Amino acid sequence: MRWVPPSIYTKEPGTWPYYEICQRIEQDVATHIFDSNIQASYAYTDAWWMGYNDVHTVTTKTNWARLNGFGVYAWDISQDDFSNICGGGENPLLNAIKTEMGQS
């Protein structure tokens, strides 16, 4: 198993925007897992493994923050899927935060 090559967008190994991650998962027919023990998503093939934040993970983290009286911030909004490349609508990660923080 090896590291995934550098992102086309960031040019950095290990720093992939969400829209590139979902494309890579589909392109490589990777297995996607939401691990309920760690409350996070990862994907893998025989050649690579990648942990990342998807809508499920972001919703889970935001829910925890909200229920415990905390807020949430996004490190880099340009790494969300702002063009709906993944098919989950524009800005699915930011929208997941907005939706979850709006819960009472």
Side-chain angles (χ1 to χ4, degrees), residues 29-89:
V29 192
T31 300
H32 165 266
I33 303 288
F34 180 81
D35 186 330
S36 60
N37 292 317
I38 62 171
Q39 297 293 300
S41 294
Y42 63 91
Y44 66 91
T45 67
D46 290 339
W48 58 262
W49 180 97
M50 182 185 304
Y52 63 97
N53 289 323
D54 60 5
V55 171
H56 194 169
T57 303
V58 168
T59 299
T60 299
K61 289 178 177 183
T62 304
N63 181 52
W64 182 91
R66 181 180 56 78
L67 292 175
N68 287 281
F70 298 106
V72 185
Y73 77 97
W75 179 259
D76 183 351
I77 62 172
S78 71
Q79 293 200 14
D80 200 345
D81 184 15
F82 53 85
S83 296
N84 192 26
I85 292 169
C86 302

Side-chain angles (χ1 to χ4, degrees), residues 2-28 48-53 75-76 78-81 93:
R2 62 178 170 75
W3 290 102
V4 179
S7 154
I8 294 167
Y9 173 74
T10 67
K11 310 282 190 262
E12 303 255 348
T15 306
W16 280 53
Y18 180 62
Y19 59 88
E20 281 191 67
I21 293 169
C22 67
Q23 287 178 311
R24 185 64 183 251
I25 290 169
E26 185 174 328
Q27 170 190 320
D28 291 359
W48 58 262
W49 180 97
M50 182 185 304
Y52 63 97
N53 289 323
W75 179 259
D76 183 351
S78 71
Q79 293 200 14
D80 200 345
D81 184 15
L93 303 180

